[in-house]
């Protein structure tokens, strides 16, 4: 890793590279620049109070502290001259003067800018927004509060996202009751399909989780300002001492509205294969971008996975240094519930069929997600190493045909030696 050779007064309002966001995309961008010999100033700004930490673990392990989840120590960042400014919210970008203004009045100029602000909770409409003990899980403090308030009490989870379901699973051995409200007929229907969603729902029901599907929240009712009941649109009233909302997210790009950066109708920043925006010197990556995805003929997609953000950070850093490289990776994520792990690889958006091998009832299965005659993604439980194996095959540029996995004999995918 290189160090910064420029003599810098830390109060100077100029950085050769300015990074907004300290998640995996921002952090990997900074580290890659140093690994590749970049010797100018790097400043990374975050709205968080903490140095970079592993946010996806919050929902799996609610008692974790920021220190336990830490990705890099302050010593590491200092040793490699990656300056970190915490509790800094960007409010505007002026691409003409190449400067970013923050809420506290700080103004930083840059030569190269990397925007990796991630996503924020999707706004929801319900009465009783001022009631306390209703959380969006964003920080270690949120996670710790949820765990504490749910202890022997009634917990309600709104939304059957991976975050919502992981929180529900994590609370079953703490809370008196856990209820989940979802707008679809089964959890994960859009991501994993009806059959897999139903099998996972049964696992939750076996662990005392009650589901209220095809439903939404109409009101949060408090007593002395503290949550007591959640009222559903169906009229059902649930007792609740703590509520966690995991009902989807939107890109955190509101501050870019007047910037001249190209964004789509949902607020995602559009980038090219080098993670460059339409504005010279401005790059973006992670959950906030729509980027060209080679396996889908470079159609622009949004893939908000932890692993994808790492790749974006690396590609952006290399682009900044004039070493253009392209995204060569297979999207991959995992989720853990009740000691069981779901693994997923590929990009299954718009799948039209799911071929299941194994036993859904036993939760030992693999699901192949197909579009017309091609396998585009795979998910499994208790069926290692098949997801990694499929990722390897897809990553090598080969296609897996639907007929190859329909036969029932998938030993060629599990046996390492073949193909």
């Amino acid at each position: 890793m290189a160090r910064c050779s420029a003599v810098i007064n830390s109060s100077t309002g100029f950085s050769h590279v300015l990074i907004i966001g300290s998640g995996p995309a921002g952090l990997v961008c900074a580290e890659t620049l140093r690994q590749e010999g970049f010797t100018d100033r790097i400043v990374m700004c975050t709205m968080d109070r903490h140095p970079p930490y592993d946010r996806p673990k919050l929902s799996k392990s609610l008692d974790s502290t920021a220190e336990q989840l830490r990705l890099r120590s302050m010593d590491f960042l200092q040793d490699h001259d990656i300056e970190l400014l915490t509790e800094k919210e960007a409010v505007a970008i002026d691409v003409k003067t190449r400067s970013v203004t923050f809420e506290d009045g700080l103004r930083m100029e840059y030569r190269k800018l990397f925007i990796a602000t991630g996503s924020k909770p999707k706004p929801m409409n319900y009465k009783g927004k001022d009631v306390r003990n209703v959380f969006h899980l964003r920080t270690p403090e949120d996670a710790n509060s949820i765990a504490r308030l749910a202890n022997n009490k009634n917990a309600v989870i709104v939304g059957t996202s991976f975050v919502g379901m992981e929180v529900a699973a994590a609370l079953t051995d703490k809370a008196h009751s856990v209820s989940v409200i979802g707008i679809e007929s089964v959890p994960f229907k859009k991501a994993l399909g009806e059959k897999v969603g139903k099998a996972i729902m049964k696992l939750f029901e076996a662990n005392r989780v009650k589901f209220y599907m095809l439903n939404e929240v109409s009101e949060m009712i408090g007593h002395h300002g503290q949550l007591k009941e959640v009222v559903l649109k169906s009229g059902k009233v649930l007792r609740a001492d703590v509520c966690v909302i995991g009902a989807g997210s939107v890109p955190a790009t509101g501050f870019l509205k007047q910037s001249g950066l190209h964004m789509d109708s949902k607020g995602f920043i559009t980038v090219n294969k080098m993670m460059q925006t339409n504005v010279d010197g401005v790059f973006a990556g992670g959950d906030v971008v729509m980027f060209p995805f080679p396996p889908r003929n470079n159609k622009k997609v949004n893939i908000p996975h932890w692993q994808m953000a790492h790749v974006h950070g690396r590609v952006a850093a290399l682009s900044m240094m004039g070493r253009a490289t392209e995204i060569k990776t297979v999207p991959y994520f995992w989720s853990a519930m009740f000691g069981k792990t779901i693994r997923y690889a590929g990009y299954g958006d718009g799948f039209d069929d799911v071929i299941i091998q194994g036993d859904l009832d036993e939760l030992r299965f693999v699901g192949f997600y197909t579009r017309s005659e091609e396998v585009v993604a795979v998910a499994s439980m208790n069926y290692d190493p098949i997801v990694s194996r499929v990722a390897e095959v897809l990553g090598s540029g080969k296609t897996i045909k639907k007929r190859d996995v329909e036969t029932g004999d998938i030993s060629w995918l599990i046996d390492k030696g073949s193909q």
Side-chain angles (χ1 to χ4, degrees):
M1 305 267 284
R3 299 214 43 179
C4 181
S5 60
V7 179
I8 282 160
N9 171 348
S10 62
S11 63
T12 308
F14 170 76
S15 182
H16 297 86
V17 171
L18 180 60
I19 297 169
I20 309 177
S22 66
L27 182 60
V28 169
C29 178
E31 290 188 18
T32 303
L33 288 167
R34 290 286 182 242
Q35 284 164 355
E36 297 293 322
F38 183 78
T39 55
D40 283 325
R41 189 180 190 194
I42 300 174
V43 174
M44 182 164 62
C45 307
T46 176
M47 282 171 65
D48 256 305
R49 290 168 48 183
H50 306 287
Y53 61 89
D54 186 344
R55 182 173 274 155
K57 271 203 189 141
L58 287 177
S59 48
K60 301 171 180 78
S61 163
L62 296 164
D63 296 312
S64 302
T65 63
E67 285 68 40
Q68 289 166 329
L69 298 175
R70 197 168 57 193
L71 295 173
R72 295 294 190 200
S73 65
M74 284 307 287
D75 285 349
F76 174 92
L77 298 177
Q78 281 160 3
D79 287 348
H80 302 296
D81 292 327
I82 297 166
E83 294 174 60
L84 178 70
L85 303 180
T86 54
E87 298 182 85
K88 285 272 180 276
E89 181 179 358
V91 290
I93 288 178
D94 185 332
V95 298
K96 290 191 182 67
T97 59
R98 293 199 173 208
S99 64
V100 177
T101 306
F102 294 88
E103 196 179 33
D104 61 3
L106 174 74
R107 186 171 167 274
M108 290 280 295
E109 293 183 7
Y110 61 82
R111 199 162 286 156
K112 297 268 197 303
L113 177 67
F114 184 52
I115 302 166
T117 43
S119 45
K120 60 181 191 175
K122 196 185 253 173
M124 274 180 62
N125 274 330
Y126 59 84
K127 288 188 206 144
K129 291 253 167 127
D130 53 347
V131 174
R132 287 197 303 277
N133 299 345
V134 177
F135 295 87
H136 289 103
L137 177 54
R138 302 290 296 161
T139 65
E141 289 76 16
D142 289 341
N144 301 168
S145 298
I146 291 162
R148 190 182 70 251
L149 289 163
N151 203 20
N152 291 320
K153 294 287 202 320
N154 304 297
V156 171
I157 315 297
V158 180
T160 53
S161 62
F162 281 95
V163 172
M165 294 290 280
E166 286 169 2
V167 171
L171 287 178
T172 49
D173 59 355
K174 290 184 174 69
H176 171 68
S177 73
V178 178
S179 305
V180 174
I181 302 156
I183 52 172
E184 296 181 313
S185 55
V186 297
F188 307 136
K189 187 174 176 180
K190 194 163 173 277
L192 301 177
E194 182 118 23
K195 290 179 194 160
V196 174
K198 204 170 265 178
I200 294 169
M201 191 167 164
K202 279 187 188 156
L203 167 68
F204 275 73
E205 287 171 333
N207 284 277
R208 301 187 305 113
V209 176
K210 285 194 90 155
F211 285 93
Y212 299 89
M213 300 305 282
L214 300 172
N215 229 317
E216 288 179 74
V217 174
S218 99
E219 188 174 2
M220 304 276 185
I221 294 178
H223 182 62
H224 299 309
Q226 304 235 17
L227 181 68
K228 279 291 160 231
E229 292 172 329
V230 175
V231 184
L232 306 188
K233 293 218 167 130
S234 63
K236 178 83 182 160
V237 179
L238 305 178
R239 291 177 61 183
D241 301 288
V242 60
C243 177
V244 183
I245 298 178
S249 56
V250 292
T253 53
F255 70 105
L256 299 172
K257 282 214 168 74
Q258 309 299 319
S259 66
L261 287 182
H262 277 174
M263 294 192 281
D264 72 2
S265 58
K266 291 181 178 164
F268 291 105
I269 304 166
T270 51
V271 294
N272 66 14
K273 58 190 177 186
M274 272 101 72
M275 310 316 291
Q276 286 173 307
T277 68
N278 62 304
V279 174
D280 185 45
V282 181
F283 300 77
D287 290 11
V288 291
V289 300
M290 296 286 285
F291 67 99
F293 188 55
R296 288 278 176 102
N297 298 321
N298 287 319
K299 177 190 164 194
K300 295 233 163 139
V301 302
N302 172 255
I303 302 180
H305 299 343
W306 183 247
Q307 163 260 6
M308 211 71 222
H310 285 71
V311 176
H312 288 176
R314 182 163 179 78
V315 170
L318 292 166
S319 297
M320 286 178 188
M321 296 185 74
R323 298 182 199 163
T325 179
E326 291 183 29
I327 290 172
K328 277 201 170 70
T329 187
V330 176
Y332 187 98
F333 76 86
W334 63 279
S335 180
M337 300 151 186
F338 304 112
K340 298 187 189 318
T341 307
I342 298 171
R343 305 188 196 283
Y344 183 99
Y347 178 66
D349 195 55
F351 66 86
D352 53 33
D353 199 6
V354 189
I355 313 295
I356 305 283
Q357 302 278 5
D359 191 334
L360 277 174
D361 293 329
E362 292 287 313
L363 294 175
R364 187 182 177 279
F365 67 88
V366 54
F368 295 96
Y369 296 82
T370 61
R371 266 171 70 101
S372 43
E373 294 309 307
E374 204 177 299
V375 173
V376 289
V378 61
S380 79
M381 276 180 108
N382 295 318
Y383 225 94
D384 287 339
I386 190 142
V387 169
S388 301
R389 183 73 188 107
V390 170
E392 246 172 62
V393 173
L394 295 176
S396 71
K398 292 180 184 145
T399 54
I400 300 173
K401 294 281 182 234
K402 186 174 181 177
R403 62 173 181 270
D404 296 336
V405 296
E406 269 177 327
T407 57
D409 176 21
I410 50 171
S411 58
W412 61 277
L413 268 177
I414 299 166
D415 301 339
K416 278 302 274 168
S418 58
Q419 283 257 301

mmCIF file of all heavy atoms in Angstrom, residues 16 53 90 99 115 118 125 128-129 168 170 172 218 220 226 236 304 323 334 336 354 417:
data_model
loop_
_atom_site.group_PDB
_atom_site.id
_atom_site.type_symbol
_atom_site.label_atom_id
_atom_site.label_comp_id
_atom_site.label_asym_id
_atom_site.label_seq_id
_atom_site.Cartn_x
_atom_site.Cartn_y
_atom_site.Cartn_z
ATOM 1 N N HIS A 16 -7.544 15.296 -3.606
ATOM 2 C CA HIS A 16 -7.397 14.766 -4.973
ATOM 3 C C HIS A 16 -8.511 13.769 -5.262
ATOM 4 O O HIS A 16 -9.102 13.787 -6.330
ATOM 5 C CB HIS A 16 -6.020 14.108 -5.141
ATOM 6 C CG HIS A 16 -4.897 15.079 -4.970
ATOM 7 N ND1 HIS A 16 -4.375 15.392 -3.728
ATOM 8 C CD2 HIS A 16 -4.235 15.842 -5.872
ATOM 9 C CE1 HIS A 16 -3.411 16.295 -3.886
ATOM 10 N NE2 HIS A 16 -3.305 16.590 -5.170
ATOM 11 N N TYR A 53 -18.011 -0.397 8.921
ATOM 12 C CA TYR A 53 -18.376 -1.663 9.576
ATOM 13 C C TYR A 53 -19.267 -2.480 8.650
ATOM 14 O O TYR A 53 -19.765 -1.987 7.643
ATOM 15 C CB TYR A 53 -19.058 -1.405 10.929
ATOM 16 C CG TYR A 53 -20.349 -0.624 10.864
ATOM 17 C CD1 TYR A 53 -21.579 -1.267 10.703
ATOM 18 C CD2 TYR A 53 -20.362 0.767 10.968
ATOM 19 C CE1 TYR A 53 -22.767 -0.556 10.637
ATOM 20 C CE2 TYR A 53 -21.543 1.495 10.907
ATOM 21 C CZ TYR A 53 -22.753 0.817 10.741
ATOM 22 O OH TYR A 53 -23.922 1.527 10.672
ATOM 23 N N ALA A 90 -23.443 14.925 2.846
ATOM 24 C CA ALA A 90 -23.335 15.755 1.637
ATOM 25 C C ALA A 90 -24.726 16.282 1.279
ATOM 26 O O ALA A 90 -25.695 15.520 1.277
ATOM 27 C CB ALA A 90 -22.775 14.932 0.488
ATOM 28 N N SER A 99 -16.865 20.731 -6.464
ATOM 29 C CA SER A 99 -16.908 20.848 -5.002
ATOM 30 C C SER A 99 -18.164 20.193 -4.440
ATOM 31 O O SER A 99 -19.188 20.083 -5.123
ATOM 32 C CB SER A 99 -16.865 22.325 -4.593
ATOM 33 O OG SER A 99 -18.031 22.985 -5.059
ATOM 34 N N ILE A 115 -19.027 8.571 -5.633
ATOM 35 C CA ILE A 115 -20.276 8.627 -4.862
ATOM 36 C C ILE A 115 -20.727 7.207 -4.560
ATOM 37 O O ILE A 115 -21.008 6.422 -5.478
ATOM 38 C CB ILE A 115 -21.376 9.376 -5.650
ATOM 39 C CG1 ILE A 115 -20.909 10.794 -5.990
ATOM 40 C CG2 ILE A 115 -22.672 9.414 -4.847
ATOM 41 C CD1 ILE A 115 -21.778 11.479 -7.031
ATOM 42 N N GLY A 118 -25.036 4.581 -0.989
ATOM 43 C CA GLY A 118 -25.898 3.459 -0.624
ATOM 44 C C GLY A 118 -27.378 3.795 -0.721
ATOM 45 O O GLY A 118 -27.782 4.709 -1.433
ATOM 46 N N ASN A 125 -46.373 5.053 4.123
ATOM 47 C CA ASN A 125 -47.521 5.852 4.561
ATOM 48 C C ASN A 125 -48.290 5.130 5.648
ATOM 49 O O ASN A 125 -48.842 4.060 5.408
ATOM 50 C CB ASN A 125 -48.478 6.090 3.381
ATOM 51 C CG ASN A 125 -48.047 7.311 2.592
ATOM 52 O OD1 ASN A 125 -47.470 8.236 3.159
ATOM 53 N ND2 ASN A 125 -48.306 7.303 1.297
ATOM 54 N N GLY A 128 -49.365 7.801 12.759
ATOM 55 C CA GLY A 128 -48.616 7.560 13.995
ATOM 56 C C GLY A 128 -47.116 7.539 13.805
ATOM 57 O O GLY A 128 -46.404 6.744 14.425
ATOM 58 N N LYS A 129 -46.617 8.422 12.945
ATOM 59 C CA LYS A 129 -45.171 8.440 12.643
ATOM 60 C C LYS A 129 -44.327 8.879 13.840
ATOM 61 O O LYS A 129 -43.121 8.676 13.854
ATOM 62 C CB LYS A 129 -44.887 9.401 11.473
ATOM 63 C CG LYS A 129 -45.444 8.901 10.146
ATOM 64 C CD LYS A 129 -44.353 8.409 9.222
ATOM 65 C CE LYS A 129 -44.916 7.642 8.072
ATOM 66 N NZ LYS A 129 -44.512 8.066 6.788
ATOM 67 N N ALA A 168 -36.465 -10.949 12.061
ATOM 68 C CA ALA A 168 -37.507 -11.816 12.635
ATOM 69 C C ALA A 168 -36.885 -13.096 13.195
ATOM 70 O O ALA A 168 -37.187 -13.519 14.323
ATOM 71 C CB ALA A 168 -38.553 -12.152 11.573
ATOM 72 N N ALA A 170 -33.758 -13.557 14.098
ATOM 73 C CA ALA A 170 -32.859 -13.244 15.224
ATOM 74 C C ALA A 170 -33.632 -12.975 16.508
ATOM 75 O O ALA A 170 -33.108 -13.176 17.612
ATOM 76 C CB ALA A 170 -31.992 -12.035 14.871
ATOM 77 N N THR A 172 -36.555 -14.469 17.458
ATOM 78 C CA THR A 172 -37.436 -15.544 17.949
ATOM 79 C C THR A 172 -37.010 -16.091 19.306
ATOM 80 O O THR A 172 -37.851 -16.498 20.090
ATOM 81 C CB THR A 172 -37.541 -16.719 16.945
ATOM 82 O OG1 THR A 172 -36.223 -17.089 16.555
ATOM 83 C CG2 THR A 172 -38.358 -16.340 15.748
ATOM 84 N N SER A 218 -51.564 0.281 8.645
ATOM 85 C CA SER A 218 -52.313 1.519 8.469
ATOM 86 C C SER A 218 -52.017 2.503 9.597
ATOM 87 O O SER A 218 -52.013 3.700 9.382
ATOM 88 C CB SER A 218 -53.807 1.220 8.342
ATOM 89 O OG SER A 218 -54.481 1.411 9.526
ATOM 90 N N MET A 220 -49.695 3.091 13.590
ATOM 91 C CA MET A 220 -48.947 2.704 14.792
ATOM 92 C C MET A 220 -49.606 3.446 15.962
ATOM 93 O O MET A 220 -49.704 4.677 15.930
ATOM 94 C CB MET A 220 -47.482 3.151 14.699
ATOM 95 C CG MET A 220 -46.742 2.648 13.481
ATOM 96 S SD MET A 220 -46.083 0.991 13.694
ATOM 97 C CE MET A 220 -45.174 0.815 12.141
ATOM 98 N N GLN A 226 -45.108 5.679 23.455
ATOM 99 C CA GLN A 226 -44.397 4.417 23.170
ATOM 100 C C GLN A 226 -45.325 3.446 22.453
ATOM 101 O O GLN A 226 -46.494 3.328 22.818
ATOM 102 C CB GLN A 226 -43.938 3.762 24.481
ATOM 103 C CG GLN A 226 -43.096 4.686 25.308
ATOM 104 C CD GLN A 226 -41.753 4.070 25.650
ATOM 105 O OE1 GLN A 226 -41.333 3.114 25.035
ATOM 106 N NE2 GLN A 226 -41.081 4.630 26.628
ATOM 107 N N LYS A 236 -56.941 -5.934 11.375
ATOM 108 C CA LYS A 236 -56.309 -6.724 12.445
ATOM 109 C C LYS A 236 -55.426 -5.809 13.303
ATOM 110 O O LYS A 236 -54.719 -4.951 12.786
ATOM 111 C CB LYS A 236 -55.458 -7.818 11.800
ATOM 112 C CG LYS A 236 -54.700 -8.701 12.760
ATOM 113 C CD LYS A 236 -55.558 -9.816 13.299
ATOM 114 C CE LYS A 236 -54.785 -10.666 14.295
ATOM 115 N NZ LYS A 236 -55.673 -11.438 15.160
ATOM 116 N N PRO A 304 -27.843 -4.618 -5.561
ATOM 117 C CA PRO A 304 -27.397 -4.067 -4.271
ATOM 118 C C PRO A 304 -26.800 -5.117 -3.336
ATOM 119 O O PRO A 304 -27.244 -5.275 -2.205
ATOM 120 C CB PRO A 304 -28.695 -3.473 -3.698
ATOM 121 C CG PRO A 304 -29.777 -4.345 -4.254
ATOM 122 C CD PRO A 304 -29.297 -4.855 -5.587
ATOM 123 N N ARG A 323 -6.500 3.084 -15.456
ATOM 124 C CA ARG A 323 -6.280 1.647 -15.744
ATOM 125 C C ARG A 323 -7.627 0.977 -15.898
ATOM 126 O O ARG A 323 -8.067 0.236 -15.017
ATOM 127 C CB ARG A 323 -5.514 0.996 -14.596
ATOM 128 C CG ARG A 323 -4.145 1.621 -14.429
ATOM 129 C CD ARG A 323 -3.365 0.956 -13.319
ATOM 130 N NE ARG A 323 -2.287 1.850 -12.914
ATOM 131 C CZ ARG A 323 -1.621 1.739 -11.791
ATOM 132 N NH1 ARG A 323 -1.914 0.765 -10.952
ATOM 133 N NH2 ARG A 323 -0.658 2.582 -11.503
ATOM 134 N N TRP A 334 -25.556 -14.067 0.467
ATOM 135 C CA TRP A 334 -26.004 -15.128 1.361
ATOM 136 C C TRP A 334 -26.878 -14.518 2.453
ATOM 137 O O TRP A 334 -26.839 -13.319 2.706
ATOM 138 C CB TRP A 334 -24.820 -15.874 1.991
ATOM 139 C CG TRP A 334 -23.956 -15.006 2.863
ATOM 140 C CD1 TRP A 334 -22.979 -14.145 2.445
ATOM 141 C CD2 TRP A 334 -23.989 -14.902 4.296
ATOM 142 N NE1 TRP A 334 -22.407 -13.517 3.523
ATOM 143 C CE2 TRP A 334 -23.007 -13.956 4.675
ATOM 144 C CE3 TRP A 334 -24.748 -15.513 5.291
ATOM 145 C CZ2 TRP A 334 -22.761 -13.605 5.992
ATOM 146 C CZ3 TRP A 334 -24.508 -15.167 6.611
ATOM 147 C CH2 TRP A 334 -23.523 -14.231 6.952
ATOM 148 N N ALA A 336 -28.647 -15.738 6.467
ATOM 149 C CA ALA A 336 -28.666 -16.786 7.496
ATOM 150 C C ALA A 336 -29.897 -16.628 8.390
ATOM 151 O O ALA A 336 -30.201 -15.524 8.834
ATOM 152 C CB ALA A 336 -27.402 -16.709 8.341
ATOM 153 N N VAL A 354 -38.580 -21.874 -12.211
ATOM 154 C CA VAL A 354 -37.623 -22.324 -11.188
ATOM 155 C C VAL A 354 -37.608 -23.848 -11.216
ATOM 156 O O VAL A 354 -38.650 -24.491 -11.075
ATOM 157 C CB VAL A 354 -38.036 -21.871 -9.758
ATOM 158 C CG1 VAL A 354 -36.914 -22.175 -8.771
ATOM 159 C CG2 VAL A 354 -38.403 -20.404 -9.715
ATOM 160 N N GLY A 417 -14.332 -32.411 -10.706
ATOM 161 C CA GLY A 417 -13.446 -32.807 -11.799
ATOM 162 C C GLY A 417 -14.035 -32.671 -13.195
ATOM 163 O O GLY A 417 -13.321 -32.603 -14.167
#
